[in-house]
Amino acid sequence: MTNESASTTAKPKIRPIYAVFEGGGARGITHVGALKALEQEGLTPVGVAGSSAGAIIAALVAVGYKADELYRVTGEDQGTDIVVRSKRAPVDVLGRGSWNRFKRMKPLSRLAAFLLIAAIGGLIAAPLIGNSTIGYVAIGMLAAACGLATWLLWPIVANRGMFSTDGMVDFLNEVLRDKVGQHYDELGIDRAKLPRRIRFGDIDPSKLPQCIRLKITVSNVVTGGLEIFDQNRPDVVVADAVAASASIPLAFIPRKVEGASSDAGAIYVDGGLVSNLPAWSFAAEKRAFERRTDGPPVPVIAITLSDPKQHGHARPGKGDRGFLAFASQVVRTGIFGSQKIVEDFVPDLEVIDLSSPLGTLDFDCGRASANRAYLAGLHGAEQILRKRRWTRDGTEAALAHVHRAVEGLIHERRRQAGAEPPKIRASIVDEIGRWDLAANGRNSKIGFRIVASVGMDEDADDRMEFDRENCLAPRAYATKSSFARVLRGVPLADFVMTKYERAMIASSAHSVICVPVLNSLVPEAPAERIFCIDSTDNLEDDFKDPIFRDAVFRESVILSPSLIAKRIEELTNG
């Protein structure tokens, strides 16, 4: 890999992506930092989706907001982001009175629990020691405990939640209208036509080209299922849909969404209950976009948020072993465990897992804490994206070098024989993982996929996957031995493919050479990947020549992921 291929000074190419933002409450500010990193890498969303807090970010991105408009930490414009411009703090959106009541709930609930335990003890002790005064005191303490518990829980019981989402809806509708109004000005549309409440139909890219596709997931507690609000439901009010998706059960009052359903009884809550990371939601749009552009696969980049403690393996502290901590872990496992299974079946998915210093309900954090959360998203995503770009660019540059070298060898041999030089294509095949219930839930390796190619853009086989029993690349991987194989006339059973998969192999490909790429740092380790080169003529005779074979081996060494990773580490540290 060359320095040029891994340089960060070159302006990145604009690349379309689908961006999906996970829910996380107050941690959502970390999403903005990650959004800034995506912009710096030239990754431009053509569609965004989100649940809960991620739905808020997705909606703002969909109408055209950039990261610097949403939040700024440094520069002359510091403090002029969307939060400051709105003259609202997050707790203002939630309601100051409700927030103060919520903040008092924890200490007062402990007091109520103490009074209840003391009252029960007093009621038991009073008849045993024959002291009626203790009994009266205990009855008083019991009444105080019940009254305090009623005061704490009544808003939740009466309204099915502590906080109203009305303030959130007003804020979101205001900032959405502001951006849509700017688009009207750019297009010469009279602002008098700007609707009072922005609906999905108002931000349809076919009508307003500055906007992109938006998908918001919500949980319908009446039907017990998941619903998606997008431009296919044009009458739905966007702010209502987002607020519904962010309505954490019992914390927020469930939301009715205007224009969502003819069923007046439909009630919506946090989309994260069913799908906290809707990475699957753009499957149809992704295929359609790739067909229209006839370009490379469009990645789905999912931004996930986690507590810093989830990234370590330290023994849990005393506070982490209580019932509430256990209950929280059970709920988190139910939501995120199923999410991990779904992620494994989403093609071209890249997950950027970020650690946020904020808690889910840290809505009253100060500017300094918010800055740290933003920077955690920015720097964390920068590091992940940079390494992935370097890895991708380094792999592609290395494969292009090996292709040129081997192609030159083959063409020279044909010229010496007085024959026409054949067409030569090259590819790298890696193992792929899927969630395997038979392997006790481990992300087991069950097959292989072409991950990089040269000269295959005109054919369909650059997207091929192989069964482990396939007689080509998987066999070279398993045996750590190289071979040349004629493709024509091979029985379908040897390929272990369906007839549709077999049809993806280019009809011009006559033979292939499969070379396992071994870890030169640890020779006894399993093969790391397979280098394949195919030709429009027969390569078996070429591969029988030890000089040619050794030359191919020497060239393929630079494709080792270990060597590429080592070079990237050197660049990172340098």
Side-chain angles (χ1 to χ4, degrees):
M1 181 175 64
T2 62
N3 287 335
E4 289 80 4
S5 67
S7 173
T8 58
T9 59
K11 187 177 180 180
K13 296 179 180 179
I14 301 299
R15 187 181 184 191
I17 63 167
Y18 288 96
V20 183
F21 300 95
E22 182 182 58
R27 294 174 183 161
I29 189 66
T30 303
H31 278 316
V32 185
L35 176 64
K36 178 66 174 179
L38 293 176
E39 293 172 357
Q40 292 175 166
E41 284 290 312
L43 299 170
T44 304
V46 293
V48 284
S51 286
S52 195
I56 299 175
I57 302 298
L60 296 175
V61 173
V63 298
Y65 278 101
K66 301 299 182 183
D68 286 344
E69 295 178 274
L70 299 180
Y71 196 88
R72 291 185 69 90
V73 174
T74 59
E76 295 180 358
D77 295 330
Q78 181 182 8
T80 61
D81 53 53
I82 196 171
V83 177
V84 175
R85 290 196 306 272
S86 71
K87 299 180 180 180
R88 296 185 184 95
V91 292
D92 293 325
V93 174
L94 297 176
R96 289 278 178 178
S98 298
W99 180 256
N100 291 334
R101 176 189 287 268
F102 173 75
K103 294 295 286 185
R104 290 195 294 266
M105 284 187 70
K106 188 172 183 179
L108 291 179
S109 63
R110 289 177 176 176
L111 175 60
F114 170 78
L115 291 174
L116 179 62
I117 293 172
I120 293 173
L123 291 174
I124 294 174
L128 295 178
I129 62 177
N131 190 330
S132 59
T133 302
I134 294 178
Y136 292 135
V137 171
I139 292 173
M141 295 174 71
L142 180 61
C146 293
L148 187 56
T150 300
W151 183 84
L152 290 171
L153 298 177
W154 177 249
I156 298 177
V157 174
N159 302 315
R160 293 177 290 186
M162 174 67 71
F163 304 110
S164 169
T165 54
D166 290 344
M168 186 187 306
V169 168
D170 292 341
F171 166 73
L172 285 170
N173 195 63
E174 177 184 313
V175 296
L176 292 173
R177 288 186 83 247
D178 183 54
K179 180 57 72 172
V180 172
Q182 295 176 31
H183 298 331
Y184 276 25
D185 293 341
E186 294 169 3
L187 297 173
I189 303 175
D190 185 0
R191 280 215 184 199
K193 298 181 179 179
L194 189 65
R196 184 178 63 85
R197 305 193 74 188
I198 300 297
R199 301 174 186 270
F200 277 92
D202 301 320
I203 60 172
D204 192 322
S206 64
K207 301 177 181 178
L208 209 60
Q210 298 97 325
C211 298
I212 59 175
R213 300 291 298 178
L214 169 66
K215 291 181 181 290
I216 302 298
T217 58
V218 297
S219 301
N220 188 333
V221 297
V222 175
T223 63
L226 181 74
E227 289 192 29
I228 293 181
F229 296 131
D230 58 12
Q231 279 91 346
N232 292 324
R233 303 176 74 172
D235 295 330
V236 171
V237 174
V238 177
D240 276 355
V242 173
S245 184
S247 297
I248 302 172
L250 302 184
F252 291 89
I253 299 172
R255 186 81 195 176
K256 290 189 177 182
V257 179
E258 184 178 330
S261 175
S262 58
D263 181 6
I267 300 175
Y268 302 102
V269 297
D270 194 340
L273 285 179
V274 181
S275 180
N276 201 44
L277 185 70
W280 44 267
S281 59
F282 280 112
E285 286 88 348
K286 172 177 152 60
R287 288 194 298 270
F289 186 90
E290 290 168 350
R291 292 189 194 107
R292 290 194 303 270
T293 58
D294 194 28
V298 179
V300 178
I301 296 184
I303 312 296
T304 64
L305 304 175
S306 59
D307 190 291
K309 290 184 289 186
Q310 291 178 252
H311 285 261
H313 301 282
R315 185 177 179 181
K318 183 178 179 181
D320 297 327
R321 293 194 290 264
F323 172 76
L324 292 179
F326 170 74
S328 174
Q329 290 167 351
V330 169
V331 173
R332 186 167 60 242
T333 300
I335 294 175
F336 295 98
S338 58
Q339 169 183 303
K340 294 297 182 185
I341 296 176
V342 172
E343 286 175 17
D344 281 328
F345 292 94
V346 177
D348 305 310
L349 176 66
E350 297 185 24
V351 178
I352 298 178
D353 188 26
L354 301 174
S355 174
S356 176
L358 293 180
T360 303
L361 296 176
D362 286 344
F363 293 106
D364 59 347
C365 69
R367 188 76 184 191
S369 297
N371 286 350
R372 286 194 294 272
Y374 171 90
L375 292 174
L378 173 62
H379 296 155
E382 278 180 338
Q383 185 178 28
I384 294 171
L385 289 169
R386 186 182 301 118
K387 285 191 174 183
R388 289 185 181 180
R389 171 164 55 85
W390 287 356
T391 300
R392 182 181 65 250
D393 293 349
T395 300
E396 291 175 352
L399 180 61
H401 169 83
V402 177
H403 172 259
R404 286 193 300 269
V406 177
E407 182 182 53
L409 290 172
I410 295 172
H411 285 185
E412 179 60 28
R413 291 173 65 87
R414 295 300 181 272
R415 279 192 291 269
Q416 291 177 1
E420 287 293 322
K423 178 182 178 181
I424 302 297
R425 308 185 310 166
S427 61
I428 293 175
V429 178
D430 282 354
E431 276 192 296
I432 57 173
R434 287 288 187 268
W435 188 269
D436 188 359
L437 294 178
N440 297 321
R442 291 192 299 273
N443 192 26
S444 59
K445 305 295 186 180
I446 65 167
F448 295 82
R449 175 190 294 155
I450 293 177
V451 297
S453 63
V454 175
M456 302 177 76
D457 293 342
E458 297 177 356
D459 304 307
D461 48 2
D462 63 343
R463 297 280 283 163
M464 287 195 65
E465 294 186 3
F466 303 91
D467 187 272
R468 297 191 71 86
E469 301 301 320
N470 185 278
C471 65
L472 302 176
R475 183 166 300 177
Y477 182 91
T479 61
K480 294 176 64 173
S481 60
S482 304
F483 56 82
R485 185 77 182 260
V486 173
L487 296 174
R488 296 176 181 176
V490 177
L492 195 64
D494 286 0
F495 281 118
V496 194
M497 292 178 173
T498 65
K499 64 179 182 180
Y500 306 105
E501 292 171 327
R502 178 65 180 86
M504 292 176 67
I505 300 178
S507 59
S508 61
H510 181 282
S511 60
V512 63
I513 294 173
C514 300
V515 179
V517 178
L518 305 179
N519 188 337
S520 59
L521 304 176
V522 188
E524 66 276 10
E528 293 188 294
R529 59 183 11 158
I530 311 100
F531 166 58
C532 298
I533 191 152
D534 64 57
S535 171
T536 53
D537 69 1
N538 196 338
L539 296 176
E540 286 187 317
D541 289 338
D542 298 276
F543 202 67
K544 292 176 182 178
D545 183 346
I547 297 177
F548 173 82
R549 189 168 57 246
D550 290 344
V552 174
F553 292 162
R554 286 194 304 270
E555 294 292 345
S556 67
V557 169
I558 68 170
L559 300 176
S560 165
S562 299
L563 294 182
I564 294 174
K566 185 174 183 294
R567 179 59 176 151
I568 291 173
E569 193 65 31
E570 291 172 353
L571 289 169
T572 304
N573 295 335

